[in-house]
Amino acid sequence: MEIKVNFLDNLRLEAKFDDFTVIADQPIRYKGDGSAPSPFDYFLASSALCAAYFVKVYCNARDISTDGIRLSQNNIVDPENRYNQIFKIQVELPESISEKDREGILRSIDRCTVKKVVQTGPEFQLDVVENLDEDAQAMLMAKPTEEANTFILGKDLPLEQTIANMTSLLESLGMKIEISSWRNIVPNVWSLHIRDAASPMCFTNGKGATKESALCSALGEFIERLNCNFFYNDQFFGEEIANAEFVHYPNEKWFPLEEDDSLPVGLLDDYCLGIYDPENELCGSNLIDTNSGNRERGICAIPYTRHSDGETVYFPSNLIENLFLSNGMSAGNNLFEAKVQCLSEIFERAVKRQIIEQEIVLPDVPKEVLANYPKVVEGIKGLEEQGFPVVVKDASLGGQFPVMCVTLMNPKTGGVFASFGAHPSLEVALERSLTELLQGRSFEGLNDVPKPTFNSMAVQEPENFVEHFIDSTGVISWRFFSAKHDYEFVEWDFSGTNEEECDRLFAILRKLGKEAYVAEFTDIGCACRILVPDYSEVYPAEDLIWDNTNKALAYREDILNLHSLSEEELVNLVERLEESQLDNYIDIITLIGIEFDENTVWGQLTIIELKILIYLALGEIEEAHELVEAYLQYNSNTVARNLFYQAMHATLEIALDDELAMEDYLHNFTRMFGQGVMDAVIGSINGEVRFYGLTPTSMKLEGLERHLRLVESYKKLHAARAAITAKK
């Protein structure tokens, strides 16, 4: 994690990281102002807080109340060497806690991350640099030696060279990559999480049989998502980029909206129109991109090459971001390598969906075949030694597709987790299935996997497939575990050179009667995106009409300008929200594509709470009262915010009852909720306080640091594309 420090007045310091700001000072005896803890005080407190966190997690997982549990830490200083200290943590446990849980709580404290890092002994490196925002490898601990030269199946360059190439590319964009976590809980299964230090919302996960291959995976995914703009999906780019020469790519094409809102001529081709607009219901306004929201420019479309004949077809960026998510994008050392990876993932997800939806029973991989892959066997053995039975299945559906499956059972919870992997090589597909299974997961995390079911409707629910796509935690059928399989095992092999593998995978699509559309990105690394209509979508095509992300355009400007809206404009906004039939519990971040700090009221704001605050500002207390009741029953928010609405509900009850007087209750309400809360509640009702807790903002995005960091990240990418285009 990158922590940037600013020098304030006197000895005060400001540390900024993620969405937080921490102030440190020195005691007055050390010439400070005593306005905040010292840096060393924070260090001492961090280990105590970390220990308490692990106690809380342990108790929450077992429904043990933490009432009566007390924890303290004292640091005992060696009088002859003040840097030699003992951190003594003491915990007081109620008698009601069993001996087993007492031992469990102590073991949980022993897992404290701060403690483990201190005990390991961190290394401090001090450097003077010309620019803090440069050096993409500054945070990478997996730097290979120059002599290393490791090749793996499916890759044309050694891992070490690939890592060097990708980090150099990211450095040229001005992006500093940091590794926030590594995991290696069983042999030959590595995973990690990386992110842009300046914009932590830009992150990827990597997996592999070694730490180097996992790092390659994460960096490759980072570059593919940069090229495909995936980090910025659904987010508002701001007015500057919305009116720039190009918004997404220099080769984009804008189609002006028609007066009758019909689809402009030249968008898509007949094959795609038959899939995405079979009833001629799709309108041009449905395809305005969410990122720019620029209605005046029309529809932004990206050129794709139709694989069957090489013709150019323009796909609305809105359609891509709404239906495909990250499916069908990849990076590689060359375009053929990228396309193989891309097509493999498309088959992995499509075949997985078919298997789950149709409740297909797959054949087990024979033990003698599995024995050919000792590293995979060793990883599986590591899981089973921890009490997790594993079944390995052939998901090729009789040799049709290059897909494998590794499924884990958790006897402690009754949950199961089916992980799929694909690649022309059976060995690579099998390895990917196993590494995907444990990507970013601890053994404790495997307690959250869902239980299987015989309820076919639950399995076939569209949202279940979205869960499977996002993190493979959707539900699967008990029928999946039947000994009576629907296909025979096939020891398939689609491998060859990258070009041969690419041709073989495209041939499978042709056999299925599917058309593919390819966009190649070679200016910033080597990446591609492949769309296979009616096959590789994550969301259904009807979402373009009924659940399009560009619904943000109907609300974004008014919500960002909330504090400056007139009474008439507020009435219009709340009426549109009421008539929209949007779920009251959608958060405003999702609705308008703005990344508010989640630790603020804006960051937790939902549609129902926004309506309440608008009705209060309008003096419509009956409408506000009705919604406050629903909010308290179903909404999840911070303790402080919920207390505000509890106080609001009680106060509105009095305001709406002619027989009750506020002065009779104010004293005890204040004792219950506090003076500050009651001032806010009464002020909100009488109009003196408007939109309590929401700081003013506007379309200029002032004060929205989290979102502005995301926009700044995109501007680096945008500027690089503009510079490369100018040189051509």
Side-chain angles (χ1 to χ4, degrees):
M1 178 175 69
E2 182 176 54
I3 302 170
K4 289 190 174 180
V5 178
N6 297 317
F7 297 91
L8 306 180
D9 56 293
N10 196 13
L11 298 181
R12 295 173 74 245
L13 303 168
E14 176 187 73
K16 286 183 169 289
F17 51 94
D18 293 346
D19 295 321
F20 301 101
T21 299
V22 173
I23 303 296
D25 199 353
Q26 291 292 333
I28 294 173
R29 65 181 180 275
Y30 295 139
K31 309 301 183 183
D33 298 315
S35 63
S38 72
F40 189 67
D41 292 337
Y42 279 117
F43 167 68
L44 294 176
S46 69
S47 59
L49 289 169
C50 186
Y53 161 75
F54 279 94
V55 172
K56 185 69 172 174
V57 169
Y58 180 92
C59 291
N60 284 352
R62 293 157 181 82
D63 292 324
I64 299 172
S65 172
T66 52
D67 292 346
I69 297 179
R70 298 200 301 162
L71 185 145
S72 71
Q73 174 185 295
N74 290 279
N75 59 311
I76 303 170
V77 183
D78 184 339
E80 296 182 359
N81 180 1
R82 66 190 179 99
Y83 300 116
N84 181 26
Q85 301 191 13
I86 296 172
F87 286 17
K88 187 171 185 177
I89 296 175
Q90 296 176 307
V91 60
E92 179 182 313
L93 301 174
E95 292 182 2
S96 58
I97 294 181
S98 69
E99 192 61 36
K100 177 182 177 182
D101 284 325
R102 287 170 180 266
E103 292 178 6
I105 288 171
L106 292 178
R107 284 198 303 271
S108 73
I109 294 174
D110 196 49
R111 293 171 52 214
C112 167
T113 311
V114 175
K115 167 181 168 293
K116 287 186 176 293
V117 170
V118 172
Q119 287 177 325
T120 301
E123 177 185 344
F124 286 82
Q125 298 177 352
L126 305 178
D127 295 308
V128 175
V129 297
E130 292 184 6
N131 189 326
L132 283 175
D133 297 322
E134 294 178 355
D135 187 5
Q137 289 202 49
M139 313 290 270
L140 304 184
M141 289 186 69
K143 296 179 184 178
T145 61
E146 293 183 4
E147 301 78 30
N149 206 30
T150 309
F151 283 89
I152 62 172
L153 281 174
K155 300 298 179 184
D156 280 357
L157 288 178
L159 295 176
E160 296 77 13
Q161 184 62 53
T162 303
I163 292 170
N165 291 346
M166 290 191 287
T167 50
S168 174
L169 174 64
L170 291 168
E171 186 173 357
S172 72
L173 293 173
M175 293 184 176
K176 183 188 290 186
I177 303 303
E178 62 181 17
I179 296 176
S180 60
S181 67
W182 281 99
R183 288 198 184 275
N184 173 222
I185 61 176
V186 298
N188 307 314
V189 179
W190 287 80
S191 68
L192 75 159
H193 179 92
I194 67 172
R195 62 185 190 177
D196 180 357
S199 179
M201 290 164 291
C202 299
F203 66 85
T204 57
N205 299 302
K207 59 186 185 294
T210 65
K211 62 180 183 296
E212 290 83 10
S213 60
L215 180 55
C216 267
S217 168
L219 290 169
E221 188 171 284
F222 201 96
I223 288 170
E224 82 184 28
R225 295 186 176 200
L226 282 177
N227 274 284
C228 298
N229 288 352
F230 181 74
F231 290 135
Y232 319 100
N233 230 23
D234 307 339
Q235 305 300 323
F236 180 43
F237 286 160
E239 294 175 322
E240 179 185 342
I241 293 178
N243 294 293
E245 186 174 347
F246 68 91
V247 172
H248 297 272
Y249 300 98
N251 63 348
E252 68 193 20
K253 184 175 181 180
W254 289 81
F255 291 78
L257 294 173
E258 303 289 343
E259 288 188 10
D260 62 357
D261 206 17
S262 60
L263 293 184
V265 175
L267 272 180
L268 303 172
D269 58 13
D270 290 341
Y271 177 82
C272 292
L273 288 170
I275 293 169
Y276 299 123
D277 190 25
E279 305 296 331
N280 295 316
E281 295 178 306
L282 193 61
C283 299
S285 58
N286 293 133
L287 299 176
I288 299 170
D289 74 297
T290 310
N291 301 116
S292 75
N294 198 330
R295 301 172 187 272
E296 288 71 27
R297 292 181 82 165
I299 300 168
C300 182
I302 315 300
Y304 276 72
T305 300
R306 192 164 57 206
H307 184 259
S308 62
D309 58 9
E311 289 295 313
T312 298
V313 177
Y314 283 92
F315 278 77
S317 63
N318 171 286
L319 182 149
I320 298 169
E321 75 175 37
N322 268 283
L323 303 186
F324 292 92
L325 289 185
S326 64
N327 201 18
M329 58 175 70
S330 187
N333 292 304
N334 57 62
L335 280 173
F336 284 119
E337 186 180 299
K339 289 176 183 177
V340 167
Q341 172 69 11
C342 192
L343 290 166
S344 296
E345 290 189 355
I346 287 173
F347 284 122
E348 171 195 319
R349 288 151 180 170
V351 172
K352 176 180 182 178
R353 178 168 187 154
Q354 181 184 350
I355 290 166
I356 293 168
E357 187 175 51
Q358 298 176 12
E359 299 178 275
I360 294 172
V361 183
L362 302 175
D364 291 344
V365 176
K367 289 184 178 180
E368 59 271 21
V369 174
L370 205 54
N372 295 326
Y373 313 109
K375 289 186 177 180
V376 172
V377 171
E378 190 178 2
I380 291 170
K381 182 182 177 183
L383 280 171
E384 295 193 328
E385 287 175 348
Q386 292 293 326
F388 299 102
V390 174
V391 292
V392 183
K393 292 181 175 289
D394 169 23
S396 69
L397 303 185
Q400 297 179 75
F401 304 100
V403 186
M404 297 296 287
C405 174
V406 175
T407 301
L408 172 145
M409 304 178 190
N410 188 342
K412 299 174 186 175
T413 64
V416 297
F417 184 9
S419 174
F420 290 72
H423 189 269
S425 162
L426 188 151
E427 179 180 358
V428 176
L430 186 56
E431 180 184 286
R432 287 182 177 174
S433 298
L434 179 60
T435 54
E436 173 71 25
L437 183 74
L438 295 176
Q439 181 170 274
R441 289 185 173 85
S442 62
F443 289 128
E444 290 81 0
L446 295 172
N447 291 330
D448 297 329
V449 297
K451 300 172 179 61
T453 179
F454 278 113
N455 183 346
S456 296
M457 292 183 66
V459 171
Q460 295 164 8
E461 170 67 36
E463 278 302 311
N464 188 44
F465 298 121
V466 176
E467 293 297 324
H468 275 290
F469 175 82
I470 293 172
D471 60 6
S472 298
T473 57
V475 179
I476 64 172
S477 172
W478 268 121
R479 294 176 177 84
F480 185 83
F481 296 96
S482 171
K484 187 177 180 181
H485 43 79
D486 296 317
Y487 290 88
E488 295 300 319
F489 169 75
V490 175
E491 195 170 357
W492 50 267
D493 184 13
F494 295 86
S495 63
T497 65
N498 281 326
E499 186 171 357
E500 289 170 341
E501 291 174 349
C502 188
D503 289 341
R504 289 167 186 170
L505 296 180
F506 273 121
I508 297 173
L509 288 176
R510 284 197 301 273
K511 190 174 181 180
L512 294 172
K514 303 296 182 183
E515 183 63 87
Y517 301 80
V518 183
E520 298 177 352
F521 307 103
T522 55
D523 289 335
I524 301 173
C526 189
C528 70
R529 180 154 204 173
I530 300 176
L531 309 177
V532 186
D534 196 34
Y535 192 70
S536 65
E537 297 90 348
V538 177
Y539 288 105
E542 51 263 32
D543 276 9
L544 292 172
I545 298 173
W546 303 112
D547 194 22
N548 197 304
T549 58
N550 76 3
K551 59 181 176 286
L553 309 187
Y555 309 103
R556 179 187 288 155
E557 185 170 357
D558 280 347
I559 291 176
L560 287 176
N561 292 327
L562 187 66
H563 289 77
S564 60
L565 295 184
S566 67
E567 184 170 316
E568 182 181 350
E569 289 169 329
L570 284 173
V571 170
N572 181 271
L573 172 58
V574 78
E575 285 180 350
R576 279 184 285 126
L577 287 169
E578 295 284 17
E579 294 167 2
S580 69
Q581 297 184 335
L582 290 168
D583 186 340
N584 266 335
Y585 301 98
I586 294 174
D587 58 72
I588 299 303
I589 289 176
T590 301
L591 177 64
I592 66 173
I594 298 292
E595 284 292 337
F596 297 105
D597 180 350
E598 292 180 355
N599 302 297
T600 64
V601 176
W602 274 113
Q604 296 293 320
L605 190 69
T606 56
I607 289 176
I608 189 171
E609 186 177 1
L610 177 61
K611 289 179 184 177
I612 292 170
L613 295 174
I614 294 174
Y615 280 130
L616 288 170
L618 293 170
E620 303 286 351
I621 62 173
E622 289 188 21
E623 288 80 358
H625 176 255
E626 183 179 334
L627 290 178
V628 168
E629 284 188 315
Y631 173 95
L632 289 173
Q633 187 171 1
Y634 299 110
N635 204 69
S636 174
N637 208 317
T638 62
V639 172
R641 202 65 181 169
N642 284 337
L643 280 174
F644 169 75
Y645 282 107
Q646 287 179 40
M648 176 65 72
H649 182 259
T651 306
L652 287 173
E653 290 272 348
I654 294 171
L656 291 168
D657 192 325
D658 293 337
E659 297 182 2
L660 299 176
M662 189 63 217
E663 57 266 25
D664 295 335
Y665 294 87
L666 184 58
H667 174 67
N668 282 320
F669 276 16
T670 301
R671 293 178 68 193
M672 172 71 80
F673 301 111
Q675 187 67 53
V677 169
M678 288 311 301
D679 287 346
V681 167
I682 293 172
S684 297
I685 293 173
N686 65 26
E688 294 176 0
V689 175
R690 285 164 56 88
F691 313 115
Y692 173 63
L694 299 180
T695 54
T697 183
S698 74
M699 288 289 281
K700 300 295 184 185
L701 306 175
E702 65 272 17
L704 304 181
E705 290 190 21
R706 180 178 172 89
H707 190 84
L708 289 173
R709 288 202 299 271
L710 190 67
V711 173
E712 285 303 311
S713 169
Y714 184 68
K715 283 182 176 179
K716 295 175 184 176
L717 186 60
H718 192 272
R721 287 173 176 156
I724 291 167
T725 301
K727 292 178 181 178
K728 290 183 178 179

